[in-house]
Amino acid sequence: MRGIALCAVGLEKITAQEIERLGLSVVDRRPGRITFAVEEAELSRQLATVNMGARTVERVLLELGRFHAEDFDAYFEGIRSLPWESCCFKDSRLHIDRVRSHESKLAAQTSLQAMGQKAAYSRLMERYRMREMPETGNVVSVRVYMDRDECTVGVDTSGDPLHKRGYRKRVVTAPLKETVAASLLFFSGWNRKYALLDPFCGSGTIAIEAAMYALDFAPGLMRRFAFENMPAISPKIVDETRAAFEGKIRQDVDFEIRASDTDPDALNAARGNADDAGVLDWITFEQRDATEAAPFSERGHLLANPPYGNRLGTETEAEAIYAALADTRDRFVDGGWSMGFITDRIDFGETFGLEPDASHHIVNGAEEQWFHWFPAKR
């Protein structure tokens, strides 16, 4: 069996590394998808581990199987042959919510959805000895990928997207996804031995994700997942896995994280979110303009999601903010700090007045972003 970890395009390398750090074996890496091995005897533990512990994964699918299908007869029989009873009860409602076809003879999404559900129900009715599916129980979401006539079928084990940790109940304009915020920590190489500042903190996502990472606080501990309603899953093992993650949370570590914003409403939202995440005592929030920011430690990282000018303000206003950061830039880079900014501009460095050492391209749904990295002068 295999699992498929979905992530924003551009995060594949760090997501694969993260999955391996969680103790699983990566077997394939494609744009936006990391496939990892799953042992049937360890299914409950491994699905729980990735869903609860991965910081950059957006969703986890369980690959029920893959097969060759050049026509609908082969597609129907292939779908029907899969072990649907491992993830569906006799009253579950199965929904194929997404179909992707690439260079395949079968490409009609609605037909693939309808025939796929019919084939899966045929298998389930036979196994449960029923004439029809009542569809009164839990919803089981499925994704089908057709790639050069090879069909891969994945069952969603996450439910809500994994960026929905459960703590961000207060949202300001143009928030950064939690999974993308976590990726900035990995791109920059940040860990708790460095101080961290976010001078455009908004709802506090970067600072909160950093505090959780520094405390070894698994991101999925505050929520539940779709796989917990699958027949093949052991609730006892899921509880054991959750308890193991809880046991790893550190309280004996020292680190300094500060977050600031000019908007008092944003700061109130950020404090409330940090409190709900259980990390409020580990973050210092201040009302301050980013141009007034200065290093407060011998070495550290400034990571920020400044206004883009599309959802918040205008493009001209955004460019003025970037240009006004010149003095801030010099204070931090000359002061031994590294800086990273995520924006929707590939040419951010031109307005900022300094070319980045690296720019990581991230495609997050319909949104394109670049993380620009400026290492400290040594």
Side-chain angles (χ1 to χ4, degrees):
M1 302 181 74
R2 293 181 173 187
I4 303 172
L6 305 182
C7 64
V9 174
L11 304 188
E12 295 85 2
K13 182 177 179 179
I14 60 175
T15 297
Q17 291 171 343
E18 188 178 14
I19 290 172
E20 290 177 339
R21 283 196 299 270
L22 288 170
L24 292 103
S25 176
V26 171
V27 296
D28 189 32
R29 193 171 88 189
R30 301 187 184 190
R33 284 192 282 166
I34 307 299
T35 303
F36 57 93
V38 173
E39 300 174 34
E40 190 169 355
E42 290 292 314
L43 179 64
S44 299
R45 194 178 311 280
Q46 291 176 329
L47 288 182
T49 295
V50 180
N51 275 288
M52 292 180 193
R55 300 180 189 277
T56 62
V57 174
E58 187 66 21
R59 188 178 297 279
V60 180
L61 308 180
L62 175 63
E63 183 185 296
L64 277 194
R66 59 177 64 193
F67 53 87
H68 190 77
E70 296 186 22
D71 55 46
F72 279 109
D73 287 340
Y75 176 71
F76 184 92
E77 291 304 321
I79 295 286
R80 193 179 185 280
S81 70
L82 301 180
W84 293 101
E85 62 277 6
S86 66
C87 57
C88 296
F89 293 98
K90 62 182 180 181
D91 61 348
S92 295
R93 180 164 69 88
L94 188 144
H95 177 58
I96 299 178
D97 61 358
R98 190 163 300 186
V99 173
R100 292 286 183 267
S101 182
H102 174 67
E103 297 182 4
S104 297
K105 296 180 177 64
L106 299 178
Q109 179 172 332
T110 54
S111 298
L112 288 166
Q113 287 174 311
M115 185 162 288
Q117 184 184 58
K118 184 177 180 180
Y121 277 0
S122 175
R123 164 90 177 204
L124 288 167
M125 288 186 293
E126 178 183 281
R127 293 302 169 109
Y128 287 124
R129 299 180 180 180
M130 300 186 304
R131 294 185 177 180
E132 62 180 21
M133 292 292 291
E135 297 186 310
T136 56
N138 64 306
V139 176
V140 177
S141 296
V142 179
R143 299 191 178 194
V144 174
Y145 298 96
M146 298 292 304
D147 190 2
R148 295 182 176 87
D149 299 323
E150 289 294 319
C151 180
T152 301
V153 179
V155 175
D156 175 29
T157 72
S158 301
D160 286 336
L162 295 180
H163 76 263
K164 295 185 176 182
R165 318 288 207 209
Y167 66 75
R168 199 167 71 180
K169 300 171 185 176
R170 306 156 191 84
V171 180
V172 299
T173 305
L176 186 67
K177 273 188 178 180
E178 292 87 334
T179 45
V180 176
S183 76
L184 308 188
L185 305 175
F186 296 126
F187 276 134
S188 69
W190 184 84
N191 60 54
R192 56 182 173 240
K193 70 182 180 182
Y194 297 104
L196 184 140
L197 170 66
D198 178 2
F200 295 96
C201 74
S203 55
T205 309
I206 293 176
I208 293 169
E209 289 294 319
M212 293 177 70
Y213 179 46
L215 293 168
D216 292 331
F217 193 129
L221 286 180
M222 291 176 281
R223 53 164 287 174
R224 311 303 295 191
F225 307 93
F227 75 88
E228 296 181 74
N229 293 318
M230 291 170 53
I233 296 301
S234 164
K236 179 182 178 182
I237 293 177
V238 173
D239 289 343
E240 289 175 355
T241 306
R242 189 180 296 275
F245 275 120
E246 290 173 347
K248 293 179 181 178
I249 298 175
R250 302 285 299 273
Q251 298 292 338
D252 59 341
V253 291
D254 292 319
F255 56 88
E256 187 164 11
I257 296 174
R258 297 185 186 182
S260 59
D261 204 289
T262 58
D263 184 353
D265 291 334
L267 286 171
N268 287 334
R271 290 189 184 98
N273 291 336
D275 193 22
D276 287 341
V279 297
L280 179 59
D281 292 341
W282 300 90
I283 304 171
T284 300
F285 290 99
E286 301 173 299
Q287 185 172 349
R288 177 177 293 177
D289 192 291
T291 59
E292 300 173 357
F296 52 87
S297 180
E298 183 178 344
R299 57 180 181 171
H301 287 193
L302 184 155
L303 299 177
N305 177 37
Y308 294 178
N310 46 26
R311 288 183 292 171
L312 184 62
T314 66
E315 186 171 334
T316 301
E317 290 171 337
E319 289 182 350
I321 292 173
Y322 304 159
L325 290 172
D327 289 342
T328 306
R329 174 200 68 210
D330 294 340
R331 282 195 298 270
F332 279 89
V333 175
D334 292 341
W337 279 54
S338 298
M339 307 176 74
F341 297 89
I342 185 167
T343 76
D344 66 345
R345 300 280 297 271
I346 190 173
D347 60 349
F348 171 80
E350 295 180 11
T351 308
F352 186 58
L354 183 67
E355 283 302 306
D357 187 68
S359 292
H360 301 280
H361 186 206
I362 302 169
V363 181
N364 181 22
E367 187 173 30
E368 281 191 287
Q369 298 166 305
W370 283 265
F371 177 61
H372 303 285
W373 178 240
F374 306 87
K377 292 182 180 179
R378 301 300 181 190

